[in-house]
Amino acid sequence: MSLLRRSVATFAAATAVLAATAGCGSGSEGGSGGKTKLSFFSWENEQTMKPLIDAFEKQNPSIDIEFSTAPPVAEYISTLQTRLVSGTAADVFVIAAENKTNLVQGGFVKDLTGKPFLANMSKFNTEAWSVDGKAYGMSISSWSAGILYNKDVLAKAGVSEFPTKWDDFIALCQKLKAAGTTPYYEGATGLPLSVAALVGHENARQGGDVDAQIFAGQKKFGDLWTGPLTTYNQLFTSGVMTKDVVGLKGEQIVDEFVNGRVAMIAAGPWDVPTLRQKAPNMNLAFAGVPTPDGKPFWAGAASPGWAINAKTQHEKEAEAFLTYLGSKEAVTLFNKGTAAMTTTSDVTPVIDKVLEPNLKALKDGTFYLPQIAWPRVQDALNTEAVAQLQLMIQGQAKPEDVAAALDNRLKSS
């Protein structure tokens, strides 16, 4: 965390360094045999992207893709920032909610407005990666995440219907714990999905535009966050979730779930292929995050987009790559490999049956992601939120302290 903080703190200053090195390329080099080497930095792993890269290279034999990856979110953002500052960032990379403003305001990404490869994209997705009406990323899918549970384990506890009210959810967790089963795991190395869902529920309850009022100086973060954080913190004050989750990574949580050592986890569509592979017979189900009034909500947003480095020396090849990534063939491959809920106009996604509630949440609009709702300062606010939440989980901060820290961070930005 301290490394990320330093990275964020030095990012603005480093922009000046980058400006001084504006003559540097994106790090791409000419390939052997007359081929162009196009660098691509993603937070999807190699297993996900290799089929698409192989197919692109087969159709474009004059281009070699040089692929690198870092896991989302903090490590990816930090690595990209470092490479941008040093002038070695890839020709094509991911633009995310946490770094959109920095990338656009810093002049690090090309304006893609009107490019033909955006024609098949969902309007909602393209707007998510736009600033002042200009598009800077191509996003081919959306996601919604909630609570994934083992139906057999809950059935043994006498549960046939997943709770919709938060108090009932805590009661379920206590019942499972008393029976010797770890009830629920959700990591906190990033912003917890349940926090995003609870804040989204509160935002909807207050009319849906609270973030805009906060950034206009008409409301405070405490008006929106203190209640949901108090609700979320009951996981720890009641003792149903251990404080050790602060250090748990996503793959560790999935492994604990696969091995039957935990009954419920916070999860998204990206976890489904791994679970189907590791535990093909597990009886799975998704549910929205329970809320105080019994109206479940989900974390969710347009998936991160692919952007072109403003300093690329291979703009034509980068556009060809995005054209392929947005094609029917590539989107179909991506959907097959990730179970992603793709949103392009010419592909009907094939989703795992367990994701039907997630898809319904997208259609109902019952999803939210703070970093998308924040019109600026997303990176700094996200870093502050995660750091303060970790303190709260460890009993070193109260919910109102977290909200006040966000207000202070926004004020100082």
Side-chain angles (χ1 to χ4, degrees):
M1 182 50 61
S2 60
L3 176 63
L4 178 60
R5 278 179 161 176
R6 287 198 296 273
S7 174
V8 171
T10 57
F11 188 68
T15 301
V17 177
L18 181 63
T21 60
C24 296
S26 64
S28 302
E29 299 173 355
S32 59
K35 291 187 175 182
T36 297
K37 185 179 293 185
L38 188 74
S39 52
F40 173 39
F41 182 48
S42 174
W43 74 19
E44 289 92 4
N45 60 32
E46 184 174 5
Q47 181 181 357
T48 296
M49 296 310 302
K50 189 175 187 306
L52 285 77
I53 292 172
D54 288 347
F56 172 76
E57 289 179 335
K58 187 176 181 180
Q59 293 180 20
N60 298 270
S62 64
I63 303 174
D64 274 342
I65 300 296
E66 185 182 63
F67 181 70
S68 61
T69 181
V73 174
E75 185 174 342
Y76 173 83
I77 298 293
S78 176
T79 303
L80 178 61
Q81 289 174 346
T82 300
R83 293 181 182 181
L84 285 168
V85 168
S86 64
T88 60
D91 298 293
V92 176
F93 50 74
V94 168
I95 182 171
E98 294 82 359
N99 65 359
K100 181 177 78 171
T101 299
N102 280 344
L103 293 177
V104 173
Q105 292 184 348
F108 300 118
V109 286
K110 283 190 173 294
D111 177 5
L112 305 180
T113 308
K115 294 295 183 182
F117 50 76
L118 292 182
N120 284 344
M121 301 301 117
S122 152
K123 181 181 178 183
F124 171 79
N125 286 56
T126 299
E127 288 180 349
W129 308 117
S130 296
V131 175
D132 296 332
K134 296 182 179 178
Y136 293 94
M138 184 184 79
S139 169
I140 64 171
S141 64
S142 292
W143 61 272
S144 59
I147 296 177
L148 185 65
Y149 60 97
N150 186 324
K151 293 178 69 175
D152 293 336
V153 171
L154 265 61
K156 288 181 181 178
V159 177
S160 58
E161 190 169 342
F162 197 82
T164 58
K165 287 189 174 181
W166 185 263
D167 286 348
D168 294 337
F169 176 63
I170 293 294
L172 169 61
C173 290
Q174 290 171 327
K175 186 175 185 179
L176 289 166
K177 185 179 179 182
T181 300
T182 300
Y184 180 55
Y185 267 167
E186 179 173 20
T189 56
L191 188 68
L193 295 169
S194 63
V195 170
L198 289 166
V199 173
H201 168 266
E202 180 62 19
N203 178 58
R205 196 187 68 82
Q206 294 189 35
D209 63 345
V210 184
D211 288 292
Q213 296 180 58
I214 292 172
F215 280 78
Q218 298 165 349
K219 283 197 173 185
K220 300 285 189 181
F221 272 99
D223 297 323
L224 179 61
W225 280 64
T226 300
L229 289 177
T230 301
T231 300
Y232 167 78
N233 202 32
Q234 290 175 2
L235 290 168
F236 305 97
T237 58
S238 67
V240 300
M241 195 155 73
T242 170
K243 298 175 182 177
D244 295 340
V245 298
V246 166
L248 278 180
K249 294 184 177 179
E251 58 268 28
Q252 293 174 297
I253 292 173
V254 169
D255 283 344
E256 291 297 298
F257 186 66
V258 166
N259 291 321
R261 291 190 285 266
V262 61
M264 303 176 286
I265 61 173
W270 50 84
D271 292 311
V272 173
T274 300
L275 286 164
R276 291 301 192 201
Q277 181 182 24
K278 291 187 174 182
N281 297 320
M282 184 175 280
N283 195 4
L284 301 171
F286 258 111
V289 175
T291 61
D293 65 4
K295 298 177 180 177
F297 224 78
W298 301 69
S303 299
W306 289 304
I308 296 177
N309 190 332
K311 304 298 181 185
T312 182
Q313 296 176 17
H314 306 296
E315 182 174 358
K316 178 182 176 182
E317 290 80 2
E319 291 191 2
F321 188 44
L322 260 60
T323 298
Y324 177 74
L325 291 178
S327 70
K328 185 176 182 178
E329 175 181 302
V331 172
T332 302
L333 282 173
F334 190 81
N335 168 250
K336 183 179 180 181
T338 63
M341 292 177 279
T342 58
T343 53
T344 55
S345 62
D346 54 354
V347 174
T348 299
V350 178
I351 64 169
D352 192 298
K353 187 174 179 60
V354 74
L355 291 171
E356 290 179 355
N358 306 53
L359 184 60
K360 183 176 187 304
L362 290 178
K363 292 178 178 177
D364 292 344
T366 53
F367 64 94
Y368 171 87
L369 190 70
Q371 299 93 326
I372 290 286
W374 296 332
R376 57 187 176 85
V377 207
Q378 299 99 337
D379 194 358
L381 286 171
N382 179 68
T383 302
E384 187 70 41
V386 174
Q388 293 295 327
L389 275 163
Q390 291 182 344
L391 290 175
M392 187 184 78
I393 291 169
Q394 293 167 337
Q396 300 173 27
K398 297 178 181 178
E400 53 266 36
D401 298 331
V402 179
L406 292 175
D407 282 316
N408 289 335
R409 174 61 70 180
L410 179 60
K411 187 177 180 181
S412 64
S413 64

